[in-house]
């Protein structure tokens, strides 16, 4: 049971952090930035580093992640016993790091240890044991991966196959969202109205993005794509839009006009030449989910919904800053990056 005092303290602290974040009107501060060093000084102030541009990009990406985790942890520590839903939201970093770690092990790239994002008491994977998958996953919720993708000696020959690598990513996505959905249902309705809506939309849109990615980049057939979708048994409709997307040709813009998620697709071309762009779709979907979280952030200050939205907003900000840094490293301006990402101000 979460007390009124904990809820009020968490909300007040979250509002303070959001007010200083690069969200809403403050995104405009990224427009004039033209170099990575400028972005570093803007975000980190006196803690900015004097590094060559080629070294600064990966360093900034790591610091952006740790900055978000630090802010999220500060809010979770407002609760004596944080709700499982909120803990899972911060553990999304663990899932991402695990995908990277297992892929590197499979490819034999084990000479240099990756920079995993530390989650403190909210972490479960033993990344200190890298590159030993058995030791990393022992006693965790991920032990099922050992039986499926590794042999008894801990070798990951199966993952050297591209399709198995995709299978691993999809398996982790299904595992994560199944747990997230189950944790939602443990909360009272007044605590999860917005979180349930946003999560349902996120799963549906992620499934759609999977369809576009797997068809465009890997040329997968319908039956292969269906195996990788996130299917929540209690809510089967979350796959409906993705399944509908299998019916349309990837190079025929007019066919997609009757699709429910049509507005997230890249616009048609005057020349008549068009191809569905998975990256454009993901950017548009991300901006839409950001708007949902921003709209719902202050609607019910004492609910878990509020902190759910706070975490989503901080993770969106992190993605925005990372994309900005990547664009700057390629010679783009901050304004050009934001325009490309279709970020409405």
């Amino acid at each position: 049971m979460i007390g009124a005092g904990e809820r009020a303290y968490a909300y007040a602290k979250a509002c303070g952090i959001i007010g200083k974040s690069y969200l809403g009107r403050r995104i405009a501060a990224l427009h004039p930035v033209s170099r990575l060093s400028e972005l570093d000084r803007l975000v980190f102030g006196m803690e900015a580093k004097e590094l060559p541009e080629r070294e600064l990009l990966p360093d900034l990406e790591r610091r952006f992640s740790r900055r978000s985790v630090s802010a999220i942890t500060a809010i979770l520590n407002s609760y004596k016993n944080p709700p499982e839903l909120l803990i899972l939201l911060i553990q999304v970093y663990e899932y991402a790091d695990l995908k990277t770690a297992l892929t590197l092990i499979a490819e034999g790239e084990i000479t240099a240890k990756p920079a995993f994002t530390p989650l403190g008491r909210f972490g479960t994977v033993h990344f200190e044991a890298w590159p030993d998958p058995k030791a990393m996953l022992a006693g965790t919720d991920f032990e099922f991966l050992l039986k499926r993708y590794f042999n008894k000696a801990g070798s990951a020959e199966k993952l050297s196959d591209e399709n198995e690598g995709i299978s691993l990513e999809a398996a982790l996505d299904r595992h994560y969202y199944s747990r997230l959905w189950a944790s939602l249902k443990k909360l009272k309705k007044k605590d999860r109205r917005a979180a349930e809506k946003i999560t349902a939309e996120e799963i549906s849109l992620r499934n759609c993005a999977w369809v576009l990615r797997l068809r465009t980049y890997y040329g997968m057939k319908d039956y292969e794509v269906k195996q990788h979708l996130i299917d929540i048994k209690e809510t089967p409709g979350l796959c409906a839009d993705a399944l509908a997307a299998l019916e349309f040709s990837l190079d025929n813009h007019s066919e997609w006009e009757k699709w429910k998620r049509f507005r997230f697709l890249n616009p048609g071309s005057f020349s008549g030449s068009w191809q569905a762009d998975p990256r454009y779709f993901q950017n548009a979907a991300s901006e839409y989910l950001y708007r949902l979280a921003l709209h719902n952030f202050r609607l019910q200050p004492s609910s878990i919904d509020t902190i759910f939205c706070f975490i989503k907003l901080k993770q969106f900000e992190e993605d925005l800053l990372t994309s900005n840094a990547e664009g700057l490293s390629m010679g783009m301006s901050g304004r050009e990056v934001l325009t490309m990402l279709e970020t409405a101000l």
Side-chain angles (χ1 to χ4, degrees), residues 11 85 195 258 310 332 341:
Y11 174 66
L85 173 69
K258 56 188 175 183
F310 163 81
M332 299 174 69
L341 293 174

Side-chain angles (χ1 to χ4, degrees), residues 1-8 10 78-84 86 187 191 302-304:
M1 185 69 178
I2 300 174
E6 287 179 298
R7 291 172 183 265
S78 301
Y79 302 102
K80 184 178 181 180
N81 295 300
E84 182 185 7
L86 303 183
L187 297 173
D191 263 332
S302 63
S303 72
I304 300 303

Side-chain angles (χ1 to χ4, degrees), residues 36 76 92 166 284:
L36 286 175
L76 294 189
V92 74
I166 295 170

Side-chain angles (χ1 to χ4, degrees), residues 302-315:
S302 63
S303 72
I304 300 303
D305 269 344
T306 291
I307 306 307
F308 173 95
C309 291
F310 163 81
I311 296 174
K312 288 296 183 181
L313 289 171
K314 288 303 294 181
Q315 291 172 340

Side-chain angles (χ1 to χ4, degrees), residues 3-24:
E6 287 179 298
R7 291 172 183 265
Y9 181 71
Y11 174 66
K13 198 163 188 175
C15 285
I17 294 173
I18 290 297
K20 298 177 182 178
S21 300
Y22 294 95
L23 298 165

Side-chain angles (χ1 to χ4, degrees), residues 132-316:
D132 181 350
K134 286 187 174 181
M136 286 170 57
L137 304 181
T140 74
D141 206 41
F142 301 103
E143 280 189 305
F144 74 96
L145 296 172
L146 294 174
K147 184 176 181 180
R148 182 168 179 178
Y149 296 103
F150 294 84
N151 61 26
K152 292 182 179 179
S155 177
E157 290 112 343
K158 292 181 179 179
L159 288 176
S160 60
D161 178 82
E162 183 178 64
N163 287 336
E164 285 298 327
I166 295 170
S167 173
L168 170 66
E169 184 177 353
L172 282 170
D173 277 358
R174 287 194 300 274
H175 186 262
Y176 175 73
Y177 282 105
S178 293
R179 291 184 66 200
L180 194 67
W181 194 258
S183 70
L184 265 171
K185 295 302 183 180
K186 294 177 183 178
L187 297 173
K188 294 180 179 179
K189 286 187 178 181
K190 65 180 182 179
D191 263 332
R192 59 176 165 89
R193 289 190 183 96
E196 188 168 339
K197 177 184 178 181
I198 294 171
T199 301
E201 286 288 83
E202 184 176 330
I203 294 172
S204 177
L205 290 167
R206 197 172 186 88
N207 276 331
C208 294
W210 260 112
V211 168
L212 293 175
R213 281 180 58 199
L214 297 178
R215 292 180 67 196
T216 301
Y217 301 142
Y218 302 99
M220 285 192 179
K221 304 297 183 183
D222 290 3
Y223 75 91
E224 295 175 299
V225 173
K226 290 176 182 178
Q227 296 173 11
H228 298 305
L229 298 181
I230 303 162
D231 184 15
I232 308 295
K233 293 181 180 179
E234 297 81 5
T235 315
L238 299 180
C239 287
D241 296 337
L243 294 174
L246 293 171
E247 301 174 10
F248 310 125
S249 301
L250 292 170
D251 59 356
N252 191 329
H253 187 262
S254 62
E255 282 189 21
W256 293 84
E257 291 179 359
K258 56 188 175 183
W259 189 43
K260 181 180 176 181
R261 303 298 186 174
F262 173 72
R263 68 189 177 101
F264 297 108
L265 290 171
N266 47 307
S269 170
F270 288 111
S271 66
S273 176
W274 180 84
Q275 186 79 18
D277 184 349
R279 187 173 179 82
Y280 185 101
F281 181 91
Q282 286 179 273
N283 287 338
S286 177
E287 198 272 339
Y288 163 68
L289 293 170
Y290 154 67
R291 292 295 169 192
L292 283 181
L294 190 63
H295 172 74
N296 284 282
F297 174 57
R298 299 178 190 273
L299 291 185
Q300 297 187 76
S302 63
S303 72
I304 300 303
D305 269 344
T306 291
I307 306 307
F308 173 95
C309 291
F310 163 81
I311 296 174
K312 288 296 183 181
L313 289 171
K314 288 303 294 181
Q315 291 172 340
F316 175 85

